[in-house]
Amino acid sequence: SLAMSFPFVMALAAVLSFVMTGVATWYARKRNLLDHPGERHSHTQVTPRGGGAGLIAAYLLVPLLAFPPGLPAWWLQVIFPGALIVGLMGGWDDHQSLSVRMRLFVQLAVTLYLVWFAAGAGLIQGVAWMVAGALSVMWMVNLYNFMDGSNGMAGLQGVFGSLVLGALFWFSGDVAFSRLAFLLTACCAGFLPWNLGNARVFMGDVGSLSLGFIFAALLLYGVGTGAFSLPVAIMVMLLFLVDASLTLMWRVIRGERWYNAHRQHLYQRMI
């Protein structure tokens, strides 16, 4: 049965993520996609970037292979295309820096599609909540990218957040999304051996932006369906939300360009 085979699917997702992250690491070295140490970075040695492509590719492929007839519309029509588009944009940015305007345009287009779909499905009602939902998705995508600056941090947050979401969906009775969340746990775990400790590869924009979008979409779906409350949704990602939000506000108050690289996050100061 599907319930008995799910542990195998989890293992497949973790192994596939590990192998594809290795392929992405090899590709990054071959194409000279390298992050060099500097005063705005926490690392001290040249490290390939873009390894998150393996994590995201595994998460998008495994559900299609394992549950082709029973995938929920929200995953198939929102999370899959949204994560794919954001990931492609992030991969492009890992190759050559895109303008802030181009990045925000793509993110806004994907976010508006998500909110439009959510409104059509009855998950969001009222203009105010639609605006709040769109702003939340945009912020989650970017804050995950901002917080991807310490070895293992974004990957471990991915494991923690998806584990909690898997449990929340399970206890609410939404088995399908519980499994989809737990699959994300497996994919993040498969990425960690390459990034935790002495990192052999960084997640890159392709991974961090996509993970931010996936979490935003899962959280919005969970709140919209009543699987969990809004305060609970906020608590799932509170570590990233507090650090990124307070740092952004402080940089804006000081008149700095908030989107530029820096070392002012709390986690960076602790390191």
Side-chain angles (χ1 to χ4, degrees):
S1 69
L2 185 60
M4 292 179 63
S5 65
F6 186 67
F8 172 78
V9 176
M10 288 271 289
L12 173 65
V15 171
L16 189 60
S17 174
F18 177 82
V19 172
M20 296 182 78
T21 299
V23 173
T25 303
W26 168 82
Y27 173 81
R29 290 192 178 278
K30 186 176 181 180
R31 292 296 301 270
N32 202 35
L33 305 179
L34 306 173
D35 272 351
H36 296 268
E39 63 179 36
R40 293 181 174 179
H41 299 91
S42 300
H43 61 287
T44 57
Q45 59 186 14
V46 177
T47 307
R49 65 177 179 269
L55 184 168
I56 299 302
Y59 183 67
L60 296 182
L61 282 174
V62 171
L64 294 177
L65 297 173
F67 320 121
L71 282 171
W74 183 258
W75 191 92
L76 197 58
Q77 299 179 38
V78 176
I79 294 180
F80 181 90
L84 181 61
I85 293 171
V86 172
L88 289 173
M89 179 201 67
W92 187 5
D93 197 40
D94 286 330
H95 282 75
Q96 58 182 50
S97 293
L98 298 177
S99 66
V100 174
R101 183 177 300 178
M102 173 61 75
R103 288 164 60 100
L104 290 179
F105 173 78
V106 174
Q107 293 174 24
L108 182 61
V110 172
T111 297
L112 291 178
Y113 170 74
L114 181 151
V115 172
W116 171 79
F117 197 96
L123 300 180
I124 300 180
Q125 297 180 353
V127 175
W129 282 110
M130 291 177 68
V131 172
L135 291 174
S136 299
V137 173
M138 290 284 288
W139 184 223
M140 184 64 68
V141 171
N142 285 284
L143 76 84
Y144 215 101
N145 180 242
F146 295 158
M147 296 294 288
D148 178 29
S150 174
N151 298 349
M153 186 171 183
L156 283 170
Q157 178 67 16
V159 170
F160 170 78
S162 55
L163 267 177
V164 174
L165 284 176
L168 290 171
F169 280 122
W170 178 267
F171 287 120
S172 75
D174 194 335
V175 177
F177 268 88
S178 176
R179 287 172 172 160
L180 289 169
F182 285 139
L183 278 181
L184 185 58
T185 306
C187 292
C188 289
F191 167 79
L192 278 176
W194 294 96
N195 181 250
L196 190 61
N198 187 19
R200 288 180 281 173
V201 70
F202 292 149
M203 187 173 289
D205 289 352
V206 61
S208 59
L209 292 172
S210 300
L211 264 182
F213 177 82
I214 292 169
F215 272 114
L218 289 173
L219 289 166
L220 191 151
Y221 176 84
V223 174
T225 58
F228 43 83
S229 65
L230 180 58
V232 171
I234 293 172
M235 284 192 288
V236 173
M237 302 298 291
L238 196 58
L239 176 67
F240 276 22
L241 281 168
V242 170
D243 193 337
S245 300
L246 291 180
T247 303
L248 173 70
M249 287 190 292
W250 180 240
R251 287 173 60 79
V252 170
I253 290 171
R254 295 180 60 180
E256 301 176 7
R257 291 187 176 181
W258 59 270
Y259 49 82
N260 283 355
H262 60 85
R263 293 185 65 178
Q264 298 177 21
H265 284 288
L266 177 60
Y267 78 84
Q268 290 171 323
R269 298 183 184 202
M270 293 174 70
I271 290 173

